[in-house]
Amino acid sequence: MNIPKSTNPRIVIIGGGFAGVSLVKRFANKKVQVVLLDKRNYHTFQPLLYQVSSSGLEPDSIAYPLRKIIKKHNNIFFRLTQVSTIDAENNQIITDIGSLSYDYLVIATGTKTNYFGNKAIENNSMPMKNLPQALNIRSLILQNFERATIAKSLEEREAFLNFVIVGGGPTGVELAGAIAELKNHILPRDYHDLNSHDMQIHLLEGGPKLLPPMSDHASKKALEFLEKLGVAIHCNTFVKNYDGLIVSTNTDLILETETLIWAAGVTGNPIQGLSEKALIEKANRYRVNRYNQVEGYANIFALGDIALMETEKYPNGHPQVAQPAIQQGKLLGENLMKLIEGKPLKKFEYKDKGSMATIGRNKAVVDLKAYKFSGFFAWFIWMFVHLMSLVGFRNRIVVLFNWTYNYINFDKAARLIIRPFKKLN
């Protein structure tokens, strides 16, 4: 990999997500050599992926070059690669550009889409875990609008204009609201030869309520907001099969659509090589202690979504969202330096700052410890928090400008089919 030799301990970090970026910043100009590895050369702000897929933002608004994060620090290196195997016995990793030894290894590979073993859904649905996938969804939505204008029958047109989103968590709820705004504001203006009433948006949730991790108040308000936007909500409904056109469910509901977006769950994204005892098979997450050490390994750590830390308050691990990853990354940066210096380590304690979701223009829900609120103020708080959480000043300015423009003009400016998407079937 052409990493220079160093007398300082080498820390290898796999993954440039929230956890990896939070961690790598802690080693700036410290007496360690750090190598950050990722299969992409940018960090993605995943909470806003749905806005890319619904034409609200361009991808460079929510992505930030990893090399730009570390450019001022001569002790930190980046390599663009995919890690295939961990050789813990010899303290090295195997990648598609060669092998690399380490003194300390940190796994921050996050999650991947969970299809629960259903190959038909995996082959025919649209996932949304990264920027290329979000762009695929954007292209398909816009292509479907174009195809609907030349459809030969009402049934064919309706299939192009029906959108089914599976998963009533924050991703599904936010995406449903964003597509509903396309229907209400963009379709009537851009496509005069289409009837916006022909466009249907269905949100399917396997459980009894939307936003399962959030409060009943948030769930009820999200349901109310989405129904006002014209989204059909189907709780206690899960998809049994999707062949690329027909959606069959556990109920009598059968839907015909060219677009099924899968936001129904994630599973860990582990790397081959560690012992079976270290991996919790059902969740595909590494079992870690309060210092984020992987069980059975003194110098291997796991962070964020890929790590499952059992505590009294979180017996099933922390929620797979950004804040636990960021907080774990910060603390592990301190603990690794303490470990190198022979000092006692500090246990991780998650500080829950609350949760939130936006459902569209002036509509959001926020759960804090002491307060639960919704509507315009919640929407404003959601915007401020997400804006300040973006990496890079430029990205904040670009996103703020786009949001302001969209708010004033009821418009989504990124309605571009830059890279046409073609379904395999």
Side-chain angles (χ1 to χ4, degrees):
M1 289 192 192
N2 203 25
I3 303 294
K5 291 183 179 180
S6 173
T7 56
N8 293 327
R10 177 182 289 166
I11 301 169
V12 174
I13 304 169
I14 307 173
F18 286 111
V21 167
S22 174
L23 173 62
V24 79
K25 290 178 178 179
R26 305 295 136 185
F27 300 123
N29 302 317
K30 296 290 176 75
K31 290 185 178 181
V32 291
Q33 184 188 72
V34 180
V35 183
L36 174 63
L37 308 174
D38 200 288
K39 61 184 177 182
R40 297 184 177 89
N41 74 333
Y42 55 85
H43 165 78
T44 303
F45 190 76
Q46 288 188 327
L48 293 181
L49 273 176
Y50 82 95
Q51 293 208 7
V52 174
S53 66
S54 58
S55 302
L57 294 172
E58 285 290 0
D60 63 343
S61 303
I62 67 165
Y64 197 81
L66 290 171
R67 286 191 176 275
K68 197 169 182 179
I69 294 172
I70 64 173
K71 67 180 182 179
K72 295 181 181 179
H73 313 303
N74 294 328
N75 66 318
I76 305 177
F77 301 84
F78 171 75
R79 291 294 181 265
L80 182 69
T81 185
Q82 176 95 38
V83 180
S84 59
T85 309
I86 299 170
D87 181 359
E89 189 174 335
N90 295 304
N91 287 337
Q92 68 173 1
I93 55 168
I94 313 300
T95 79
D96 55 11
I97 62 171
S99 60
L100 182 69
S101 62
Y102 61 82
D103 294 295
Y104 301 96
L105 177 66
V106 182
I107 306 168
T109 48
T111 58
K112 58 186 177 181
T113 303
N114 189 359
Y115 298 99
F116 304 99
N118 193 314
K119 287 295 181 183
I121 294 173
E122 182 176 352
N123 293 334
N124 296 303
S125 67
M126 303 291 292
M128 196 183 69
K129 278 291 293 174
N130 55 51
L131 275 176
Q133 291 173 350
L135 285 173
N136 285 342
I137 293 173
R138 183 179 83 174
S139 293
L140 185 59
I141 290 173
L142 297 174
Q143 287 168 204
N144 283 354
F145 289 168
E146 298 296 335
R147 289 167 180 161
T149 63
I150 58 172
K152 296 178 181 178
S153 67
L154 177 62
E155 291 77 15
E156 185 182 4
R157 183 183 304 119
E158 287 179 345
F160 284 124
L161 292 178
N162 284 351
F163 296 89
V164 177
I165 302 164
V166 183
T171 299
V173 165
E174 291 176 343
L175 185 57
I179 295 178
E181 291 188 332
L182 279 175
K183 170 187 175 179
N184 297 330
H185 303 305
I186 303 302
L187 203 69
R189 291 191 298 186
D190 280 16
Y191 298 87
H192 307 295
D193 42 354
L194 291 178
N195 186 344
S196 61
H197 295 292
D198 291 337
M199 180 174 169
Q200 301 295 321
I201 304 159
H202 297 269
L203 178 60
L204 279 56
E205 164 57 37
K209 69 171 192 173
L210 298 180
L211 301 175
M214 297 183 69
S215 65
D216 288 340
H217 172 266
S219 176
K220 290 175 183 177
K221 294 305 291 186
L223 177 68
E224 177 186 321
F225 290 149
L226 284 172
E227 287 181 338
K228 283 183 179 179
L229 287 169
V231 178
I233 311 296
H234 309 274
C235 289
N236 296 308
T237 305
F238 59 85
V239 177
K240 294 177 69 176
N241 190 50
Y242 176 57
D243 62 5
L245 183 62
I246 303 297
V247 181
S248 59
T249 69
N250 62 316
T251 69
D252 294 334
L253 180 69
I254 295 176
L255 300 169
E256 189 171 328
T257 179
E258 289 280 344
T259 310
L260 183 144
I261 301 172
W262 189 258
V266 294
T267 185
N269 191 23
I271 301 171
Q272 290 183 353
L274 299 189
S275 71
E276 293 182 1
K277 292 181 180 179
L279 190 68
I280 301 174
E281 190 175 354
K282 188 176 181 181
N284 259 346
R285 300 169 75 181
Y286 292 113
R287 183 180 281 109
V288 300
N289 61 18
R290 296 293 295 275
Y291 310 107
N292 284 96
Q293 284 174 307
V294 176
E295 185 174 299
Y297 300 92
N299 65 338
I300 300 179
F301 302 79
L303 290 177
D305 293 350
I306 193 64
L308 198 154
M309 182 187 296
E310 296 173 346
T311 65
E312 187 176 338
K313 191 174 181 181
Y314 298 94
N316 298 315
H318 298 101
Q320 290 172 294
V321 293
Q323 270 305 312
I326 293 169
Q327 292 178 30
Q328 286 179 3
K330 288 180 179 178
L331 181 61
L332 184 58
E334 298 173 14
N335 276 341
L336 279 174
M337 295 308 301
K338 289 179 179 179
L339 188 62
I340 291 167
E341 295 165 3
K343 297 178 180 178
L345 307 184
K346 182 181 177 182
K347 289 184 177 180
F348 178 74
E349 193 69 47
Y350 176 48
K351 297 176 182 176
D352 188 358
K353 297 183 178 181
S355 52
M356 58 184 70
T358 182
I359 300 94
R361 181 188 181 88
N362 298 340
K363 300 176 181 69
V365 290
V366 173
D367 281 354
L368 302 178
K369 280 188 177 181
Y371 303 99
K372 294 172 177 58
F373 50 96
S374 57
F376 175 80
F377 183 61
W379 178 72
F380 181 81
I381 295 295
W382 177 93
M383 282 201 306
F384 177 79
V385 168
H386 283 71
L387 197 63
M388 298 311 296
S389 299
L390 280 164
V391 179
F393 177 75
R394 174 199 171 274
N395 284 15
R396 293 176 192 143
I397 294 298
V398 170
V399 169
L400 178 61
F401 174 82
N402 272 275
W403 284 350
T404 304
Y405 174 85
N406 293 347
Y407 189 82
I408 295 172
N409 295 287
F410 290 85
D411 196 9
K412 291 179 181 284
R415 300 193 302 277
L416 308 173
I417 306 172
I418 299 295
R419 187 189 62 188
F421 176 76
K422 186 175 182 180
K423 295 174 74 174
L424 294 177
N425 61 331

